[in-house]
Amino acid sequence: MVNKRIKDMSFRIKMTIFVSMVVVLSVGILTTTLLNYFEKSLTNEFDLRITSITNSVAYNLELPVMIGDREGVSKMVTSLLKTPDMVSVTIMRKGELMVKGTGDPVPRKLQRVKRAKIVSTEMMEDEFGGEGRSNEEVIGEVIIAFSTAKLKANINNTLKFAFLVTLMIIALAIVAGAYFISMALDPLSELLVTIGKVSSGDLKQRVENGSKDEVGQLATEFDKMVVALNEREDALMASEEQVRLLLNSTGEAIYGLDLDGVCTFANVACLEMLGYKEENELVGRRTHEVNHHTKKDGAPYPEEECRVYQAFRKGTGTHVDDELLWRADGTSFSAEYRSHPLTHNGKIVGAVVTFTDITEREQLQRQLMQSEKLSSIGTFISGVAHELNNPLTAVIGYSEILLDSADDLPEEYKDDLKQLASEAQRAGKIVHSLLKFTRKQKEGKRNTNINTILKDTISLNVYRLRTENIVIKEDLDDNLPLVMANMNQLQQVFMNIIINAHQAIADTNSEGTITIKSEKAEDEIVVTLENSGPPIPVDILDKIFDPFYTTKDIGEGTGLGLSISYGIIKEHGGRFQVENINSSGVRFIIAFPVSHEANLMAKPKAPNQVIPFNIRILVVEDESPIRGLLERLLAGKGAKVTTAENGLLAQKILENEKFDIILSDIKMPVCDGFELFEWIKKQQPENISKFVLLTGTIGVEVSDFCQLHGIQSLHKPIEGNKIIEMICKVHKWQDHGQ
């Protein structure tokens, strides 16, 4: 195929290409050889110069270094640093740093370091009192870093100059070669002129040449060419139609520009994105004035700064994703565009521009950033919650102990203790709700009480709403059956609705009410969330579940909250509706199917239990108040309690004593709860079933660990009855051999 194309080329082109290749190769080889020689010469000269300087400095520093004249050496170093190309000077004396000075900073890759030993020479007298042999001793070393920046700059400048000269020589040589080739081929000129007229459309032209040489053969083929010309013209029109079809079939907007910035063509996607019906509405107009005239901040966009026009003004392509394009109706959208030079015969004749609407992408990016912020907040809350749960455990536990032994106290003191315990439990529930809302967990559904999720969500919002005069009213059916649900996903749904209601009421600058109701209706559990904010306009009521639809200002919402919530409810097999309450508010209705299987499996609440008398319990807890609380609480119930401050002390105790129950905190110094369990697993596997983890956090790590090893866990803050129930449960398992 390549050989055939070469054969089909005209003789003029073949000769021009051949001469050009010979010139380029010859001049290129010669120039490369000369440049290599010049570069080596400059480099060698530079090395000789800096070596000489280094040796000279070493020689001049002999006496100051020998006598330890640090001040004199410093002055000499300061003076040396004024020498061009010198970056740093380091003087070593007997292996130790004596003086170091640095000049202007230069990247390490542009430095060349030279070293020279500082030698002390002592002349020895011979036996006749004359000058004998010398005794040399290395007393130090000079280390000088020189900058090669100027050297490289000289080399680069030379290379650039040589390159330009080479290009000029090549160009001149090619032009000269082309000129001589043209002279040799002039006999064909007349024939070519005639053929050119025919090619331009004058099909009446003929070439009359009776010779039998190459020119004559060309003339013979002339008539055939005229016939073929019509066929080729038809094919060209078909090809142009195919190109147009391809341009109009792509989803990416494309338009062309000439050197004046005037639109020369536009595909269908371009017209649609910019809001034009016909191509002639855009073609022939300066595009910067039409769709690129204003920046994102509302400031005018000067045409001389236009990065679209840079393609044909500077001959370089551009890629921009932070600007606006404007539609015919005056609205704008965020766009990503690429502008590339359009060349013809090696000359820039305009530019071709492609662009896409990235509004949705930016909204997704904002949502991702918000998700990352929430993830960071969740990590922070998890750490804070762990620190809060320990003191809350102490407050709740000691309050219960005081209440159990407060028979002789006045009633007002008992009420105070009950209030103290109640408020501590309330704080613990708030912390617990925060942890459940922010934790990372595996996706999945389980038997769930909808009221529990609603109460957790309310506890996270009630204080903030109350401070803004917004009241939450609860009407929850206490006898709701269970549903199969993902607790975190449903809490996300309820949280989104409450936040939207809060914002709607706050925008009216008035007091408000949010009413949350749950009830069973046939085979469904129905949750109703009403707010007294302004109703949703009728024309957008059917759009609020659409992705990216929002009435909020930029930066205040992504338009995905209700869309995601709608998807979550549908995935749970439920239904999600919204309606206005006349002119006084908005009502969201969410219905879930009842899980009959889950309710058949639900177990009745166990009665209060009592731990076996003299049961042996090991408590491993690093915080003294919690450790003391558990010891006092369990000992008061008849248990024999031993305590340890960390997992390492617990190991030593377990080596000498046996226990029925082992209660261990997770986060402890020296040896944490996970490490203690691993030790028990290897050294005392019979104690695995006796092990219970105490944790102040909620997360996948703890639940997965317990599930993997078949052990139990208790979440702080721990109430007395909860720990008694857990001890009875674990001890019962052991009695049954589980």
Side-chain angles (χ1 to χ4, degrees):
M1 180 66 71
V2 175
N3 290 335
K4 185 177 183 303
R5 289 183 178 179
I6 293 175
K7 290 178 181 179
D8 292 340
M9 288 181 182
S10 68
F11 185 72
R12 184 189 300 272
I13 294 176
K14 291 176 183 176
M15 288 298 296
T16 302
I17 293 175
F18 176 77
V19 172
S20 299
M21 291 175 62
V22 171
V23 170
V24 171
L25 288 174
S26 300
V27 175
I29 293 171
L30 178 60
T31 303
T32 302
T33 303
L34 292 174
L35 288 176
N36 287 336
Y37 175 79
F38 179 78
E39 182 177 355
K40 288 180 180 178
S41 298
L42 287 179
T43 304
N44 291 336
E45 181 183 346
F46 180 80
D47 282 339
L48 289 173
R49 182 170 69 85
I50 64 176
T51 300
S52 175
I53 292 174
T54 306
N55 291 335
S56 175
V57 171
Y59 178 80
N60 291 328
L61 286 173
E62 175 185 352
L63 180 57
V65 172
M66 182 173 64
I67 65 176
D69 182 9
R70 188 179 299 273
E71 182 178 355
V73 173
S74 296
K75 290 181 179 180
M76 186 173 291
V77 168
T78 302
S79 176
L80 284 170
L81 289 173
K82 296 178 181 179
T83 305
D85 300 333
M86 196 168 290
V87 178
S88 66
V89 179
T90 304
I91 309 300
M92 306 294 294
R93 183 176 183 268
K94 295 183 179 181
E96 296 181 354
L97 177 65
M98 185 175 184
V99 175
K100 182 175 182 180
T102 58
D104 295 332
V106 174
R108 187 174 296 275
K109 65 181 181 180
L110 295 179
Q111 295 182 21
R112 185 166 296 179
V113 179
K114 288 293 181 180
R115 298 172 178 263
K117 298 185 182 298
I118 303 173
V119 180
S120 173
T121 305
E122 180 182 359
M123 299 303 298
M124 307 294 293
E125 292 183 354
D126 61 14
E127 58 185 348
F128 301 105
E131 223 176 60
R133 62 186 180 84
S134 61
N135 184 24
E136 295 183 349
E137 178 185 5
V138 177
I139 62 173
E141 186 179 22
V142 176
I143 305 171
I144 303 178
F146 293 86
S147 171
T148 62
K150 290 183 179 179
L151 172 64
K152 293 187 179 297
N154 290 337
I155 293 174
N156 290 336
N157 290 335
T158 303
L159 290 174
K160 292 177 182 177
F161 178 75
F163 179 74
L164 292 175
V165 172
T166 301
L167 289 180
M168 291 176 63
I169 294 173
I170 291 173
L172 290 173
I174 291 174
V175 171
Y179 174 74
F180 286 108
I181 291 172
S182 295
M183 291 184 63
L185 298 177
D186 277 343
L188 294 174
S189 298
E190 184 178 353
L191 176 60
L192 292 176
V193 170
T194 305
I195 294 175
K197 292 178 179 179
V198 173
S199 299
S200 65
D202 187 3
L203 301 181
K204 297 180 180 180
Q205 292 290 330
R206 294 292 184 272
V207 178
E208 296 180 359
N209 192 312
S211 64
K212 296 183 180 180
D213 57 9
E214 287 82 357
V215 177
Q217 293 175 11
L218 287 175
T220 304
E221 295 297 321
F222 178 77
D223 290 337
K224 296 180 181 179
M225 182 188 67
V226 174
V227 174
L229 186 60
N230 286 324
E231 297 176 355
R232 292 180 182 178
E233 187 175 4
D234 293 340
L236 179 60
M237 293 178 64
S239 177
E240 289 178 350
E241 183 62 27
Q242 180 68 17
V243 171
R244 173 64 65 178
L245 180 61
L246 291 173
L247 287 174
N248 289 334
S249 298
T250 180
E252 190 170 25
I254 305 172
Y255 66 89
L257 299 173
D258 62 16
L259 295 178
D260 293 322
V262 174
C263 180
T264 56
F265 72 88
N267 70 344
V268 172
C270 173
L271 298 175
E272 289 178 349
M273 288 190 195
L274 295 179
Y276 295 101
K277 295 181 179 179
E278 301 294 337
E279 188 176 8
N280 56 16
E281 294 180 280
L282 181 61
V283 172
R285 302 175 67 183
R286 294 176 62 83
T287 57
H288 185 81
E289 298 173 358
V290 173
N291 59 33
H292 203 209
H293 46 75
T294 306
K295 296 182 179 180
K296 272 192 173 182
D297 60 2
Y301 198 152
E303 184 175 306
E304 57 271 16
E305 298 177 9
C306 180
R307 290 190 276 181
V308 174
Y309 287 1
Q310 181 177 315
F312 60 79
R313 287 176 175 170
K314 297 183 179 180
T316 57
T318 57
H319 174 211
V320 179
D321 60 0
D322 59 353
E323 293 184 352
L324 296 178
L325 291 181
W326 295 81
R327 302 185 182 92
D329 61 3
T331 59
S332 63
F333 60 92
S334 297
E336 177 182 14
Y337 66 80
R338 288 175 169 81
S339 181
H340 297 280
L342 193 62
T343 60
H344 180 67
N345 292 334
K347 183 179 179 181
I348 296 176
V349 296
V352 60
V353 183
T354 62
F355 67 87
T356 55
D357 185 340
I358 61 170
T359 303
E360 291 187 6
R361 186 207 302 174
E362 289 185 341
Q363 291 172 329
L364 287 173
Q365 288 173 341
R366 286 195 293 269
Q367 185 195 21
L368 177 60
M369 291 175 63
Q370 185 67 17
S371 297
E372 291 173 348
K373 289 180 182 178
L374 289 175
S375 177
S376 300
I377 293 172
T379 302
F380 171 74
I381 289 176
S382 179
V384 172
H386 178 265
E387 297 303 320
L388 289 176
N389 275 328
N390 282 331
L392 285 174
T393 296
V395 173
I396 294 172
Y398 283 114
S399 299
E400 291 178 347
I401 291 174
L402 287 173
L403 283 171
D404 289 343
S405 58
D407 294 337
D408 298 333
L409 287 177
E411 285 301 320
E412 61 267 24
Y413 289 174
K414 292 182 181 180
D415 291 340
D416 291 343
L417 286 173
K418 291 178 181 178
Q419 185 66 27
L420 177 64
S422 175
E423 290 303 309
Q425 290 169 354
R426 176 171 170 265
K429 290 178 180 179
I430 292 174
V431 171
H432 191 73
S433 297
L434 281 171
L435 283 171
K436 287 199 295 184
F437 185 69
T438 59
R439 67 174 174 168
K440 295 179 180 178
Q441 66 169 15
K442 294 179 180 177
E443 291 297 327
K445 300 175 185 176
R446 55 184 177 182
N447 299 333
T448 303
N449 189 316
I450 291 295
N451 284 346
T452 301
I453 304 175
L454 289 170
K455 290 178 180 179
D456 286 343
T457 309
I458 291 170
S459 68
L460 294 176
N461 291 275
V462 63
Y463 176 78
R464 176 166 54 91
L465 295 174
R466 186 171 65 243
T467 59
E468 298 188 27
N469 297 318
I470 300 175
V471 178
I472 290 186
K473 295 183 178 179
E474 299 179 34
D475 183 11
L476 306 181
D477 185 348
D478 293 332
N479 298 313
L480 288 181
L482 302 178
V483 298
M484 289 295 293
N486 182 305
M487 295 181 64
N488 272 47
Q489 287 184 346
L490 294 190
Q491 190 169 28
Q492 177 184 350
V493 172
F494 298 143
M495 181 71 76
N496 183 268
I497 296 174
I498 292 175
I499 290 174
N500 285 344
H502 169 213
Q503 293 173 343
I505 296 172
D507 288 343
T508 64
N509 297 316
S510 61
E511 298 179 357
T513 303
I514 298 175
T515 303
I516 301 176
K517 180 180 180 181
S518 66
E519 60 182 341
K520 183 177 183 299
E522 297 181 353
D523 285 340
E524 288 185 327
I525 292 177
V526 180
V527 177
T528 306
L529 298 98
E530 299 180 358
N531 69 77
S532 60
I536 301 172
V538 178
D539 58 329
I540 66 172
L541 194 61
D542 294 334
K543 302 178 182 178
I544 64 170
F545 293 126
D546 293 346
F548 304 109
Y549 185 84
T550 179
T551 58
K552 300 176 184 176
D553 294 334
I554 295 176
E556 294 186 4
T558 62
L560 288 171
L562 287 176
S563 174
I564 292 174
S565 298
Y566 185 83
I568 290 174
I569 299 304
K570 285 298 181 182
E571 196 272 333
H572 279 73
R575 54 188 175 88
F576 195 175
Q577 299 172 247
V578 59
E579 60 188 21
N580 288 324
I581 310 173
N582 299 323
S583 60
S584 59
V586 179
R587 178 186 295 119
F588 288 89
I589 302 171
I590 303 174
F592 303 93
V594 174
S595 175
H596 297 288
E597 181 180 350
N599 289 282
L600 289 174
M601 296 172 61
K603 298 180 180 179
K605 184 177 180 180
N608 292 334
Q609 302 182 47
V610 179
I611 61 175
F613 186 71
N614 282 338
I615 187 172
R616 295 158 299 175
I617 301 175
L618 174 60
V619 175
V620 189
E621 169 63 60
D622 62 316
E623 295 206 16
S624 178
I626 309 299
R627 192 169 62 251
L629 167 67
L630 293 175
E631 181 179 15
R632 186 172 174 181
L633 173 67
L634 297 174
K637 301 295 184 180
K640 291 184 177 181
V641 183
T642 303
T643 63
E645 297 179 9
N646 56 61
L648 188 60
L649 292 176
Q651 293 174 20
K652 294 179 181 179
I653 294 172
L654 287 168
E655 288 175 347
N656 300 307
E657 299 183 44
K658 294 184 179 296
F659 294 92
D660 300 303
I661 301 292
I662 302 170
L663 303 176
S664 174
D665 190 20
I666 293 180
K667 294 185 178 181
M668 296 181 293
V670 184
C671 175
D672 64 23
F674 291 139
E675 293 170 333
L676 173 60
F677 179 83
E678 293 297 336
W679 180 87
I680 291 175
K681 183 179 177 182
K682 292 180 181 179
Q683 304 297 328
Q684 299 179 356
E686 67 276 8
N687 283 332
I688 291 177
S689 61
K690 306 174 184 179
F691 197 83
V692 179
L693 279 174
L694 307 179
T695 176
T697 62
I698 298 176
V700 175
E701 181 183 17
V702 177
S703 59
D704 283 354
F705 188 87
C706 292
Q707 185 176 1
L708 176 64
H709 298 290
I711 60 176
Q712 298 296 309
S713 65
L714 270 175
H715 296 286
K716 298 177 182 177
I718 304 170
E719 300 175 22
N721 61 324
K722 297 294 183 183
I723 196 167
I724 298 301
E725 290 177 5
M726 179 58 69
I727 290 173
C728 292
K729 179 180 180 181
V730 174
H731 191 261
K732 182 179 179 181
W733 281 2
Q734 296 176 54
D735 291 343
H736 286 79
Q738 294 186 10

